[in-house]
Amino acid sequence: MADSLTTSLFQELEGLVLIDPHSHINPHAAASKTLADLMGYHYYTELAHSAGLPKDQIEGPEISPKEKVGRLVEKLTDLDNTIQVSWLLEMCREFFGFTDDRITAANWEALYDTAEKKMAQPDWEQQVLRHSKIEKVFLTNDFDDPLTGFDTNVYVPCLRTDDLVFHFGRQAVRDRLQKATDVDVSDAVTLRNALGKLFAHFTGKGARACAISLPPTFCPKKVDAGAASAVIKRAAKGQTLTLAEEGLLSAYVFWTLAEFCAEYKLPFDLMIGVNRRVYECGVYQGQDLYDTRVSLIQYRDVLNAFPQVTFPISVLTHMSNQELVSYSWIFPNVVTNGHWWYSNTPTYIEQDTRSRLEAVPRNKQIGYYSDMYKLEFALPKFRMYRRILARVLATEFVQHRGWSEEQALSLGRQVLRGNVESVFKIS
Amino acid sequence: MADSLTTSLFQELEGLVLIDPHSHINPHAAASKTLADLMGYHYYTELAHSAGLPKDQIEGPEISPKEKVGRLVEKLTDLDNTIQVSWLLEMCREFFGFTDDRITAANWEALYDTAEKKMAQPDWEQQVLRHSKIEKVFLTNDFDDPLTGFDTNVYVPCLRTDDLVFHFGRQAVRDRLQKATDVDVSDAVTLRNALGKLFAHFTGKGARACAISLPPTFCPKKVDAGAASAVIKRAAKGQTLTLAEEGLLSAYVFWTLAEFCAEYKLPFDLMIGVNRRVYECGVYQGQDLYDTRVSLIQYRDVLNAFPQVTFPISVLTHMSNQELVSYSWIFPNVVTNGHWWYSNTPTYIEQDTRSRLEAVPRNKQIGYYSDMYKLEFALPKFRMYRRILARVLATEFVQHRGWSEEQALSLGRQVLRGNVESVFKIS
Amino acid sequence: MADSLTTSLFQELEGLVLIDPHSHINPHAAASKTLADLMGYHYYTELAHSAGLPKDQIEGPEISPKEKVGRLVEKLTDLDNTIQVSWLLEMCREFFGFTDDRITAANWEALYDTAEKKMAQPDWEQQVLRHSKIEKVFLTNDFDDPLTGFDTNVYVPCLRTDDLVFHFGRQAVRDRLQKATDVDVSDAVTLRNALGKLFAHFTGKGARACAISLPPTFCPKKVDAGAASAVIKRAAKGQTLTLAEEGLLSAYVFWTLAEFCAEYKLPFDLMIGVNRRVYECGVYQGQDLYDTRVSLIQYRDVLNAFPQVTFPISVLTHMSNQELVSYSWIFPNVVTNGHWWYSNTPTYIEQDTRSRLEAVPRNKQIGYYSDMYKLEFALPKFRMYRRILARVLATEFVQHRGWSEEQALSLGRQVLRGNVESVFKIS
């Protein structure tokens, strides 16, 4: 009974057209050209590398897309248990009519060619969006992105701010900021001016969020503008900052971003917990890990200081999920946001979803985002989530709490779509 | 099959009359007068506030109980997914014959009036106790509570000691202590005398536990009495203490309380992990949160030093539950105690219950307490727990381990009632 | 349907003959002589002690094996809920034809006598291995173990190095090292020579792993050999080391062991997270606990420095499991290894197994080891794991992901046996 109920709920949820509130899509090349665009996703390269494939076999300009896929396919037998490879199979089935159980040395070339042909169709991008039931996709834009040449109504700009907060000490970052804003940053006032220009530019182009990923050690504090000015001056002159100065500068920029989020009424997506470059010899984008010893108590000051800013928060690990539940339950300006990266696997999604649905106000939960780099991934990733959501709704709400199927569906629709609209003010 | 088995176990467990080993009941006004007493519970005000209801709409002396309920009802549509609102519905169904799916703008007034009438019946308190199958309720008494004017056989006194351990530096606390004990506290000796008088008073009135809630940073240590004396003297003169002095004083008082627990053979309930006033603009009792980075290793010294004192331990988060399981499995004087606050939701209760039942001696587990402020909450809260307990017993013990239904029930009865009697020495 | 599928998978997995990749078996007395050898396992003594049995009732040379069992049996009624007691029952059923529900005061003596008779059979050890379907058992050998007098093809040596890393400051340890290697250790060079001799000796005898258990605070770092030399010299002279010197010495020895693992191509089993002697009055082997605040980020340097060394990692708690999953998913040289000690109970095994199977390459997961002290424990412990593995394969892979039963079984066989062979190079 649970099974037929789950299936029925899943099918209803599958019918829903979605807005994807976080991705890394390049709007100028949103869909894939070959299977290498799919299998080059860091999940496959890092898992294959972890399973024993040398990095130089899959990274390097001399490796053609087809060669790369061929080499990765050989490693798939060691990875077919992973949920990530199940996404790959699901894409191949849905988009390319693939019918085998596994992608193997014997069948991959035919699949590659079929995929290449389909992906070459002029309306491939539209086909993928339509077939995946995706209406809009939020982007992750560099702060100096001109945001031109694409339909911002479909590909919604978001101001990503990691570079500003953590790498202002780098000449290249300061140059990009100068070029993007035409402001010579030399102290706190000019830095604020430059940041303000970015917000004006982004919101003018329809941006719907400011976003940042943060290391487990980060603890936002309000910093004295005078003290910040002194450090900014040193940075602007190209002087090397001490760790303490870097920390002060990061804190100042972060706090200023929050102030602009308040001014421009922009939600501030916080993605908390990542340590960069932990495995230095890892493949591209496969080097980051974390330290579970992080707490939302570190965000106490900023959450109290900006009641008018909505903070959709993603946490990197299941161990932080209960804090996210509790902080969202208490703070009006905290919203739970999706299932990020290392927590984006069924075991953790299921438990985190259950705990959120039973304790956080239903209007404060953004169920899922794809985090994808290529458009084809929305389908299997959202489908994985919809399956789990259907299961939780069937078991916890219909069976254990006696809700009607329609009531459960209404909750499902709200976390899948409704709250994305209300939190990010999409009409 | 699991379902009919679970139902059968649940019904048996529902028949059990219970002792509630921890609540915040005011024995002089144990039951509610209006629906506002139920919906004024911080779970509803804080969730409604979190979902967007301004604090001044629900807090303030000028708001009548009926107005307050009306305003909260409007927000219930955003909260109906929460387990806390399911408690509210269950109370309305059980006590007031409410039959609708949801409490809405259209039906709440009739419900309010019905409830008010029932609650006005002279034996309402007795009706609630009887209907909820609750025989005794443990209280949380201020250290200066005279403990008079109520039946201590039904409402069992417990000495709550947060003020003594953490706020002795406040004049008001010292004044209350002076008044309650007639001891002028000016050093370690007189402080010990005063505390001893409290224990004599409380145990004389039938107290069954000493209790305290503790922040994640607290780490009990034995403190030199001379050093403590110096600080107590300064505090007694109204001098401002440094953080280090406050810490030393807290440690001294806590350790002395443990010594009196040994002397008076009183269990010492430790509720570990809460940070107070994290969200300073939150509603009344809706401001506290936590930091998961806490460990029972912090209690190593005190657990070793007091083998003769039983410590029923509650942890605030699921992340601390495995430590609680392991420490109870090893230390004879550690007992698992209920599912506290932010962990008192089905997802966490279920996993924590499973892990305890499979690894902690069965005579060392107190299944549940209500933590309630008003008597009506015992029914839905204990029922939630009984449902989950029935499910775990059915799945893990009867199905997976081949126990008979009666063996499983016997385990259920022991954690629900038997251990409350043995741990707190209730005959 | 799930149930019959689970049963079917379980029965297939039960047929598999295994290699146990970690135990504390004494190869000179691998099997038990009396029931006291089974019930003297620290799980039973510590649980009985925790439930109220005084330590002096079960520890002491004057207590005969039969007396000890009689006293422990009286406490079993408080422990029969634990998974550990279910192992005991399962052994009694499988090996001694025990048919009652529980071991009680009324039936234990007959059981004791039956067991004693069976255990006295000359081929008892072989019977146990055969009946338990265990082909090889990895040992935990002291560094100065001569490794003679037993069949190293069945009982596979492993070099356990806790004493070297953490207790080199003790005279007894240095004496043992001198005796085992014939090297007078007086500085970094001679210490390296001595350690090298141990590796030569162990690998010469067929050792398949180097192993160590580590406290939550340990953070391996490469240490300057000169600095290490100075400390080693002081230690060799019997001078008391400061905490800082001890830390430096531990780091130096650990790093040198990793270098020899590279040279001798030996996997380095890391068992991370235990605090020794937390409960000082506990029974033998029942004094250790932990602090969940530990992270694999502490191993960042060593994992990066030794890409050629395989690190099968065990974590003590469920709270560390997600890190283990993520680090194994990224680092080619990290392998998930079993379910250790306080996490070796069904609730945690099930969730940890699920999360590993869905996110770690299938060739990098060692499903289970027994950690046993007596051979009879392999059967119930591995059976517990096989049951859970069958359940996870049935639910997650066959039901949710549409795998065939044979595909699921193949994954089960790989984590149960295949990866033990490939990781530890057993042909």
Side-chain angles (χ1 to χ4, degrees):
Chain A
M1 202 183 79
D3 277 3
S4 73
L5 174 63
T6 300
T7 304
S8 155
L9 289 172
F10 170 66
Q11 279 162 355
E12 287 291 330
L13 294 175
E14 272 285 280
L16 204 59
V17 174
L18 300 182
I19 296 164
D20 181 353
H22 175 63
S23 84
H24 295 269
I25 287 294
N26 170 2
H28 308 290
S32 300
K33 299 275 183 229
T34 73
L35 215 50
D37 287 340
L38 299 185
M39 294 188 63
Y41 192 24
H42 69 82
Y43 283 104
Y44 305 117
T45 54
E46 73 202 12
L47 282 166
H49 181 47
S50 172
L53 190 63
K55 182 175 160 177
D56 60 11
Q57 297 273 310
I58 42 173
E59 289 194 347
E62 74 293 353
I63 304 166
S64 76
K66 200 159 185 176
E67 275 177 316
K68 188 175 181 176
V69 169
R71 289 168 186 180
L72 284 165
V73 163
E74 281 180 47
K75 261 296 162 197
L76 283 184
T77 47
D78 288 334
L79 311 178
D80 64 8
N81 59 303
T82 64
I83 196 70
Q84 292 87 357
V85 168
S86 81
W87 301 338
L88 180 64
L89 281 168
E90 192 136 31
M91 287 185 288
C92 293
R93 287 184 189 126
E94 287 282 338
F95 292 121
F96 317 124
F98 186 70
T99 55
D100 291 354
D101 255 4
R102 299 282 188 273
I103 301 171
T104 67
N107 64 23
W108 77 269
E109 286 203 81
L111 174 64
Y112 188 94
D113 297 341
T114 306
E116 195 167 26
K117 248 175 250 155
K118 286 214 96 179
M119 288 164 164
Q121 292 172 359
D123 67 339
W124 178 243
E125 181 178 336
Q126 297 313 313
Q127 283 186 48
V128 174
L129 283 170
R130 210 163 43 237
H131 189 67
S132 310
K133 296 211 169 66
I134 298 291
E135 192 178 304
K136 293 174 192 289
V137 178
F138 281 40
L139 306 177
T140 292
N141 302 97
D142 284 339
F143 66 82
D144 56 340
D145 190 320
L147 306 175
T148 52
F150 62 90
D151 181 354
T152 58
N153 195 40
V154 174
Y155 296 112
V156 181
C158 291
L159 173 57
R160 182 72 173 235
T161 56
D162 301 45
D163 283 343
L164 296 166
V165 171
F166 296 109
H167 304 306
F168 183 80
R170 295 185 189 163
Q171 181 72 46
V173 172
R174 294 195 305 276
D175 289 350
R176 285 167 52 206
L177 184 60
Q178 203 279 338
K179 209 170 150 195
T181 62
D182 211 20
V183 175
D184 272 321
V185 173
S186 59
D187 57 16
V189 171
T190 45
L191 179 53
R192 169 175 292 275
N193 289 347
L195 296 178
K197 284 204 167 184
L198 298 180
F199 274 78
H201 168 60
F202 268 76
T203 53
K205 294 285 188 179
R208 284 288 173 271
C210 179
I212 189 167
S213 76
L214 301 150
T217 49
F218 192 66
C219 184
K221 293 283 170 206
K222 186 166 169 56
V223 168
D224 176 71
S229 251
V231 178
I232 295 164
K233 273 175 198 159
R234 287 188 15 77
K237 286 178 192 155
Q239 295 172 348
T240 305
L241 303 183
T242 64
L243 277 178
E245 287 173 328
E246 280 183 2
L248 188 145
L249 185 50
S250 292
Y252 179 75
V253 177
F254 182 87
W255 203 269
T256 306
L257 292 174
E259 288 169 348
F260 280 116
C261 284
E263 186 178 329
Y264 283 89
K265 302 186 193 313
L266 219 51
F268 198 174
D269 289 349
L270 307 183
M271 313 184 81
I272 296 173
V274 64
N275 280 119
R276 302 290 178 183
R277 269 177 245 275
V278 171
Y279 173 42
E280 287 158 20
C281 297
V283 299
Y284 177 63
Q285 294 180 329
Q287 306 177 8
D288 305 337
L289 279 156
Y290 55 86
D291 180 336
T292 41
R293 295 169 301 182
V294 56
S295 172
L296 292 184
I297 199 86
Q298 299 165 219
Y299 292 83
R300 169 187 190 148
D301 284 1
V302 73
L303 298 178
N304 275 292
F306 296 96
Q308 72 279 49
V309 175
T310 300
F311 294 93
I313 295 185
S314 296
V315 289
L316 191 53
T317 79
H318 174 60
M319 322 327 278
S320 295
N321 178 68
Q322 191 180 1
E323 283 197 357
L324 180 54
V325 168
S326 302
Y327 280 69
S328 303
W329 150 356
I330 293 296
F331 277 99
N333 53 342
V334 175
V335 166
T336 64
N337 194 14
H339 301 273
W340 189 32
W341 201 343
Y342 289 110
S343 293
N344 187 26
T345 69
T347 299
Y348 299 121
I349 296 172
E350 185 176 322
Q351 293 178 51
D352 295 351
T353 295
R354 266 187 80 181
S355 60
R356 293 176 192 181
L357 287 181
E358 77 194 12
V360 177
R362 58 189 288 170
N363 61 336
K364 299 183 66 197
Q365 305 188 40
I366 294 169
Y368 197 74
Y369 51 74
S370 74
D371 215 0
M372 64 186 167
Y373 286 76
K374 285 293 173 187
L375 221 49
E376 291 83 356
F377 281 92
L379 189 146
K381 287 183 156 194
F382 272 102
R383 185 172 286 174
M384 170 183 70
Y385 177 71
R386 296 190 221 225
R387 278 198 192 100
I388 295 166
L389 179 61
R391 211 145 61 216
V392 172
L393 291 171
T395 308
E396 301 307 320
F397 288 84
V398 180
Q399 292 200 310
H400 293 165
R401 284 168 62 181
W403 283 33
S404 72
E405 204 171 322
E406 183 45 41
Q407 287 169 334
L409 272 176
S410 152
L411 176 56
R413 287 188 199 108
Q414 182 168 6
V415 302
L416 261 168
R417 161 121 199 181
N419 291 338
V420 178
E421 295 180 22
S422 57
V423 168
F424 296 106
K425 304 189 192 71
I426 292 172
S427 51
Chain B
M1 200 182 79
D3 277 4
S4 73
L5 174 63
T6 300
T7 305
S8 156
L9 289 170
F10 170 66
Q11 280 161 354
E12 287 290 331
L13 295 175
E14 273 284 280
L16 203 61
V17 175
L18 300 181
I19 296 164
D20 181 352
H22 175 63
S23 84
H24 294 269
I25 288 294
N26 170 3
H28 307 291
S32 301
K33 299 275 184 229
T34 73
L35 215 50
D37 286 341
L38 299 185
M39 294 187 62
Y41 192 25
H42 68 82
Y43 283 104
Y44 304 116
T45 53
E46 73 202 14
L47 282 166
H49 181 46
S50 171
L53 189 63
K55 182 176 162 178
D56 59 12
Q57 298 273 310
I58 43 172
E59 288 193 349
E62 74 293 355
I63 304 166
S64 75
K66 198 158 183 175
E67 275 177 316
K68 189 175 181 176
V69 170
R71 288 167 187 180
L72 285 165
V73 163
E74 281 179 48
K75 261 295 162 198
L76 283 184
T77 47
D78 288 333
L79 311 178
D80 64 8
N81 59 303
T82 64
I83 197 69
Q84 292 86 357
V85 168
S86 81
W87 302 337
L88 180 64
L89 280 168
E90 192 135 33
M91 287 185 287
C92 293
R93 286 183 190 128
E94 288 282 337
F95 293 121
F96 316 124
F98 186 69
T99 55
D100 291 354
D101 255 5
R102 298 282 188 275
I103 301 171
T104 67
N107 64 24
W108 77 269
E109 287 203 79
L111 174 64
Y112 187 95
D113 297 340
T114 306
E116 195 167 25
K117 248 174 252 156
K118 287 214 95 180
M119 288 164 166
Q121 293 173 357
D123 67 339
W124 178 243
E125 181 177 335
Q126 298 313 313
Q127 284 186 48
V128 173
L129 283 170
R130 211 164 41 238
H131 188 68
S132 309
K133 297 210 169 68
I134 298 291
E135 192 178 304
K136 292 174 193 287
V137 178
F138 282 40
L139 307 177
T140 292
N141 301 97
D142 284 338
F143 68 82
D144 56 340
D145 190 321
L147 306 175
T148 53
F150 61 90
D151 180 355
T152 58
N153 195 41
V154 174
Y155 296 112
V156 181
C158 291
L159 172 57
R160 182 71 173 236
T161 56
D162 301 44
D163 282 344
L164 296 167
V165 171
F166 296 110
H167 304 307
F168 183 80
R170 294 185 188 164
Q171 181 73 44
V173 172
R174 294 194 306 277
D175 289 349
R176 286 166 52 206
L177 185 60
Q178 204 279 338
K179 210 171 150 194
T181 62
D182 211 19
V183 175
D184 272 322
V185 173
S186 59
D187 56 17
V189 172
T190 45
L191 179 53
R192 170 175 291 275
N193 289 348
L195 296 178
K197 285 205 167 185
L198 298 180
F199 274 78
H201 168 61
F202 267 77
T203 54
K205 293 285 188 179
R208 283 289 173 270
C210 179
I212 189 168
S213 76
L214 301 150
T217 49
F218 193 66
C219 185
K221 293 285 169 206
K222 188 167 167 54
V223 168
D224 176 71
S229 250
V231 178
I232 296 164
K233 273 174 197 158
R234 290 189 13 78
K237 287 179 192 156
Q239 295 173 347
T240 305
L241 303 183
T242 64
L243 277 178
E245 287 173 328
E246 279 183 1
L248 189 144
L249 185 49
S250 292
Y252 179 75
V253 176
F254 182 87
W255 203 269
T256 307
L257 292 173
E259 289 169 348
F260 280 116
C261 284
E263 187 178 330
Y264 284 88
K265 302 186 193 312
L266 218 51
F268 197 174
D269 289 350
L270 307 183
M271 312 183 82
I272 296 173
V274 63
N275 278 119
R276 302 291 178 183
R277 267 177 246 274
V278 171
Y279 173 42
E280 287 158 20
C281 297
V283 298
Y284 177 63
Q285 294 181 326
Q287 306 176 8
D288 305 337
L289 279 156
Y290 55 86
D291 181 337
T292 42
R293 295 168 302 182
V294 57
S295 172
L296 293 183
I297 199 86
Q298 299 165 219
Y299 292 82
R300 169 187 189 149
D301 285 1
V302 74
L303 297 178
N304 275 292
F306 296 95
Q308 72 279 49
V309 174
T310 300
F311 294 94
I313 294 185
S314 295
V315 289
L316 191 53
T317 79
H318 174 59
M319 323 325 281
S320 295
N321 178 68
Q322 191 180 0
E323 283 196 357
L324 181 55
V325 167
S326 303
Y327 280 70
S328 303
W329 150 355
I330 293 296
F331 276 98
N333 53 343
V334 175
V335 166
T336 65
N337 194 14
H339 301 273
W340 188 31
W341 201 342
Y342 289 110
S343 293
N344 187 26
T345 70
T347 299
Y348 299 122
I349 295 172
E350 185 176 320
Q351 294 178 51
D352 295 351
T353 295
R354 267 188 79 180
S355 60
R356 294 176 192 180
L357 287 181
E358 77 194 10
V360 177
R362 58 189 289 169
N363 61 337
K364 299 183 66 198
Q365 305 189 38
I366 293 170
Y368 196 74
Y369 51 74
S370 74
D371 215 0
M372 65 185 166
Y373 286 77
K374 284 294 172 186
L375 221 49
E376 291 82 358
F377 280 93
L379 189 146
K381 288 183 155 194
F382 272 102
R383 185 173 285 173
M384 171 183 70
Y385 177 70
R386 296 191 221 224
R387 277 198 192 101
I388 295 167
L389 179 61
R391 211 146 60 215
V392 172
L393 292 171
T395 307
E396 301 308 319
F397 288 84
V398 180
Q399 292 201 311
H400 293 165
R401 283 168 62 181
W403 283 32
S404 73
E405 204 171 321
E406 183 44 41
Q407 287 169 334
L409 272 176
S410 153
L411 177 56
R413 288 190 199 106
Q414 181 169 6
V415 302
L416 261 168
R417 160 121 201 182
N419 291 336
V420 178
E421 295 180 22
S422 58
V423 168
F424 296 106
K425 303 188 192 74
I426 293 172
S427 52
Chain C
M1 201 183 78
D3 276 5
S4 73
L5 174 63
T6 300
T7 305
S8 156
L9 289 172
F10 170 66
Q11 279 162 354
E12 288 290 331
L13 294 175
E14 273 285 281
L16 203 61
V17 175
L18 299 183
I19 296 164
D20 181 353
H22 175 62
S23 84
H24 294 269
I25 288 294
N26 170 2
H28 308 290
S32 300
K33 299 276 183 228
T34 73
L35 214 50
D37 287 340
L38 299 184
M39 293 187 64
Y41 191 25
H42 69 81
Y43 283 104
Y44 304 117
T45 53
E46 72 202 14
L47 282 166
H49 181 47
S50 172
L53 190 63
K55 181 176 162 178
D56 59 13
Q57 298 273 309
I58 42 172
E59 289 193 349
E62 75 292 354
I63 304 166
S64 75
K66 199 157 185 177
E67 276 176 315
K68 189 176 181 176
V69 169
R71 288 168 187 180
L72 284 165
V73 163
E74 282 180 46
K75 261 296 163 200
L76 283 184
T77 47
D78 287 334
L79 311 178
D80 65 7
N81 59 301
T82 64
I83 197 69
Q84 292 86 358
V85 168
S86 81
W87 302 337
L88 180 64
L89 281 168
E90 193 136 32
M91 286 185 288
C92 293
R93 287 184 189 126
E94 287 282 337
F95 293 120
F96 317 124
F98 186 70
T99 55
D100 291 354
D101 255 4
R102 298 283 188 274
I103 302 170
T104 66
N107 64 22
W108 77 269
E109 286 203 79
L111 174 63
Y112 188 94
D113 296 341
T114 306
E116 195 167 25
K117 247 174 252 157
K118 288 215 95 181
M119 288 164 165
Q121 292 172 359
D123 67 337
W124 178 243
E125 182 177 335
Q126 297 313 313
Q127 283 186 48
V128 174
L129 283 171
R130 210 163 43 236
H131 189 67
S132 310
K133 297 210 168 69
I134 297 292
E135 191 178 306
K136 293 174 192 288
V137 178
F138 281 41
L139 307 177
T140 292
N141 302 97
D142 284 337
F143 68 81
D144 56 341
D145 190 321
L147 305 174
T148 52
F150 61 91
D151 180 354
T152 58
N153 195 41
V154 174
Y155 295 113
V156 181
C158 291
L159 173 58
R160 182 71 173 235
T161 56
D162 300 44
D163 283 344
L164 296 167
V165 171
F166 295 110
H167 304 307
F168 183 81
R170 294 184 188 164
Q171 180 73 45
V173 172
R174 293 195 306 276
D175 289 348
R176 285 167 53 207
L177 185 60
Q178 204 279 335
K179 210 171 149 196
T181 61
D182 212 19
V183 176
D184 272 322
V185 172
S186 59
D187 56 16
V189 171
T190 45
L191 179 53
R192 170 174 291 276
N193 288 348
L195 296 177
K197 283 204 168 185
L198 298 180
F199 274 78
H201 169 60
F202 268 76
T203 54
K205 294 286 188 178
R208 283 288 172 272
C210 179
I212 189 167
S213 76
L214 301 150
T217 49
F218 193 66
C219 185
K221 293 284 169 203
K222 186 165 170 55
V223 168
D224 176 71
S229 249
V231 178
I232 295 164
K233 273 176 197 158
R234 289 188 14 77
K237 287 179 191 155
Q239 296 173 347
T240 306
L241 303 183
T242 64
L243 277 177
E245 287 173 329
E246 279 183 2
L248 188 144
L249 185 50
S250 292
Y252 179 75
V253 178
F254 182 87
W255 204 268
T256 306
L257 293 174
E259 288 169 347
F260 279 116
C261 284
E263 186 178 330
Y264 284 88
K265 302 187 194 312
L266 219 51
F268 198 174
D269 289 350
L270 308 183
M271 312 184 81
I272 295 173
V274 63
N275 279 119
R276 302 291 178 183
R277 268 178 244 276
V278 172
Y279 173 41
E280 287 157 20
C281 297
V283 299
Y284 177 63
Q285 293 180 331
Q287 306 176 8
D288 306 336
L289 278 157
Y290 55 86
D291 180 337
T292 40
R293 295 168 301 181
V294 56
S295 172
L296 292 184
I297 199 87
Q298 299 165 219
Y299 292 83
R300 168 187 191 148
D301 285 1
V302 74
L303 298 178
N304 275 291
F306 295 95
Q308 72 279 50
V309 175
T310 300
F311 294 93
I313 295 185
S314 295
V315 289
L316 191 53
T317 79
H318 175 59
M319 323 327 280
S320 295
N321 179 67
Q322 192 180 0
E323 283 197 357
L324 180 55
V325 168
S326 303
Y327 280 69
S328 303
W329 149 356
I330 293 297
F331 276 100
N333 53 343
V334 176
V335 166
T336 64
N337 193 14
H339 301 274
W340 189 33
W341 202 343
Y342 290 109
S343 293
N344 186 26
T345 70
T347 299
Y348 299 122
I349 296 173
E350 185 176 320
Q351 293 178 53
D352 295 350
T353 295
R354 266 187 80 180
S355 60
R356 294 177 192 179
L357 287 180
E358 77 194 12
V360 177
R362 58 188 289 169
N363 61 338
K364 299 184 66 198
Q365 305 188 39
I366 293 170
Y368 197 74
Y369 51 74
S370 74
D371 215 359
M372 65 185 168
Y373 285 77
K374 285 294 172 186
L375 220 50
E376 291 83 358
F377 280 92
L379 189 146
K381 287 183 156 194
F382 272 103
R383 186 173 286 173
M384 170 183 71
Y385 177 70
R386 296 190 220 225
R387 278 198 192 99
I388 295 166
L389 179 60
R391 211 146 62 215
V392 172
L393 291 171
T395 307
E396 300 308 319
F397 288 84
V398 180
Q399 292 201 312
H400 292 166
R401 282 167 63 180
W403 283 32
S404 72
E405 204 172 321
E406 183 44 41
Q407 287 169 333
L409 272 176
S410 152
L411 177 56
R413 287 190 199 107
Q414 182 168 6
V415 303
L416 262 168
R417 160 120 200 181
N419 291 336
V420 178
E421 296 181 22
S422 57
V423 167
F424 296 107
K425 303 187 192 74
I426 293 172
S427 52

